[in-house]
Amino acid sequence: MSLPVNELFETIQGEGQFTGVPAVFVRLQGCPVGCPWCDTRHTWELDEADEVAREGVIGISGDTPRWASYEVEQLVALLTDGRFRARHLVITGGEPCLYDLRALTEQMHRAGWRCQVETSGCAEVKVDDHTWVTVSPKINMKGGLPVLTQALQRADEIKHPVALEKHIEELDQLLQGVALPRKPQICLQPISTQKRATEMAIRVCIERNWRLSVQTHKYLNID
Ligand SMILES: C[S@@+](CC[C@H](N)C(=O)[O-])C[C@H]1O[C@@H](n2cnc3c(N)ncnc32)[C@H](O)[C@@H]1O
Ligand SMILES: Nc1nc2[nH]cc(C(=O)O)c2c(=O)[nH]1
Ligand code: SF4
Ligand SMILES: [Mg+2]
């Protein structure tokens, strides 16, 4: 099984429940959802012409659509060869759940790491049982892709991007009638650190006893 890797880098998890935790990020190429405010638009298209050598995506920042094909075993070998101190792997994208992540998460857990997946919920979540699943639902997006009940039910955390009151109403509607067996933490993440969005998110988090997730890496100016 091969995975198209856009970038692989070590930083601090900037968002959600694990904010502040040193982590290695694997960003997979390809996403069909098309959020107008997406901060990783360069990951949307998986174009053959953008394929590069495997070394070409390690620790190099910069927003480009390039990607390299890694077999799961090659990725696990690289992640565990001693170059990283972190033991928290974040698999993001693009949309990582376009791909079957069971072998990767199983092998990384066996190596003593914790795994977290960041997904929009537009595709079935295929990870091992120990993986922390962060679902950031993308409601009414251009691709017309529904947020899958399977993804919501697998969620350990629901991290909703918000800028307008209507985004709260959409979340309420989405969650109505869906049983959430893992009792996920619900957090609101202001879109693009906008002041108004942040103020609204703070207010609603206090009203609902939800959690605030700000994109701390953007304030810190790190990857
Ligand atoms: C780039 S996405 C990749 C993973 C997956 N496609 C998803 O949307 O969850 C990672 C996280 O960044 C969030 N995000 C993307 N652009 C954002 C923005 N401009 N402001 C706030 N959050 C954003 C997403 O909602 C998601 O929680
Ligand atoms: N520092 C940092 N934290 C993050 N948490 C989620 C990210 C993502 O793009 O999925 C992200 C990211 O790109 N950088
Ligand atoms: S689902 Fe995620 S990667 Fe895809 S467009 Fe939306 S924020 Fe960007
Ligand atoms: Mg990001």
Side-chain angles (χ1 to χ4, degrees), residues 118-176:
E118 301 261 359
T119 178
S120 65
C122 74
E124 188 185 341
V125 181
K126 298 194 195 95
V127 296
D128 80 348
D129 288 347
H130 303 292
T131 302
W132 180 273
V133 175
T134 302
V135 176
S136 182
K138 302 296 151 29
I139 306 164
N140 300 329
M141 283 306 162
K142 154 197 119 196
L145 293 160
V147 182
L148 299 183
T149 305
Q150 186 268 351
L152 291 172
Q153 294 190 330
R154 180 59 185 80
D156 295 293
E157 170 181 44
I158 293 176
K159 186 177 64 176
H160 194 51
V162 293
L164 304 168
E165 267 335 306
K166 78 162 187 195
H167 297 140
I168 309 289
E169 291 157 21
E170 286 170 350
L171 178 64
D172 283 339
Q173 271 173 25
L174 179 73
L175 299 183
Q176 237 172 39

Side-chain angles (χ1 to χ4, degrees), residues 7-199:
E7 56 177 347
L8 197 157
F9 59 101
E10 191 171 31
T11 186
I12 299 287
Q13 169 57 291
E15 308 174 8
Q17 185 96 347
F18 291 102
T19 295
V21 173
V24 179
F25 279 70
V26 170
R27 193 180 299 286
L28 300 181
Q29 189 71 13
C31 180
V33 180
C35 306
W37 37 261
C38 175
D39 59 13
T40 52
R41 301 175 76 94
H42 57 285
T43 62
W44 289 4
E45 300 299 328
L46 181 65
D47 191 334
E48 267 178 40
D50 292 322
E51 184 171 3
V52 296
R54 280 193 290 282
E55 311 77 62
V57 296
I58 305 171
I60 298 161
S61 29
D63 296 349
T64 90
R66 67 170 178 233
W67 57 276
S69 180
Y70 275 84
E71 294 300 324
V72 168
E73 289 68 26
Q74 291 169 329
L75 201 47
V76 172
L78 190 156
L79 289 165
T80 59
D81 72 359
R83 75 181 75 196
F84 299 117
R85 293 292 300 275
R87 290 292 178 271
H88 184 81
L89 175 66
V90 181
I91 309 166
T92 183
E95 178 41 67
C97 290
L98 295 178
Y99 309 100
D100 187 337
L101 303 172
R102 283 173 294 199
L104 176 60
T105 51
E106 268 164 27
Q107 289 179 39
M108 290 306 291
H109 281 130
R110 227 176 287 139
W113 287 52
R114 181 170 55 209
C115 297
Q116 174 179 13
V117 170
E118 301 261 359
T119 178
S120 65
C122 74
E124 188 185 341
V125 181
K126 298 194 195 95
V127 296
D128 80 348
D129 288 347
H130 303 292
T131 302
W132 180 273
V133 175
T134 302
V135 176
S136 182
K138 302 296 151 29
I139 306 164
N140 300 329
M141 283 306 162
K142 154 197 119 196
L145 293 160
V147 182
L148 299 183
T149 305
Q150 186 268 351
L152 291 172
Q153 294 190 330
R154 180 59 185 80
D156 295 293
E157 170 181 44
I158 293 176
K159 186 177 64 176
H160 194 51
V162 293
L164 304 168
E165 267 335 306
K166 78 162 187 195
H167 297 140
I168 309 289
E169 291 157 21
E170 286 170 350
L171 178 64
D172 283 339
Q173 271 173 25
L174 179 73
L175 299 183
Q176 237 172 39
V178 182
L180 299 170
R182 298 173 86 96
K183 302 208 182 322
Q185 171 73 56
I186 297 181
C187 34
L188 300 180
Q189 178 159 294
I191 289 174
S192 302
T193 66
Q194 294 164 30
K195 189 165 184 283
R196 276 183 55 197
T198 306
E199 285 168 357

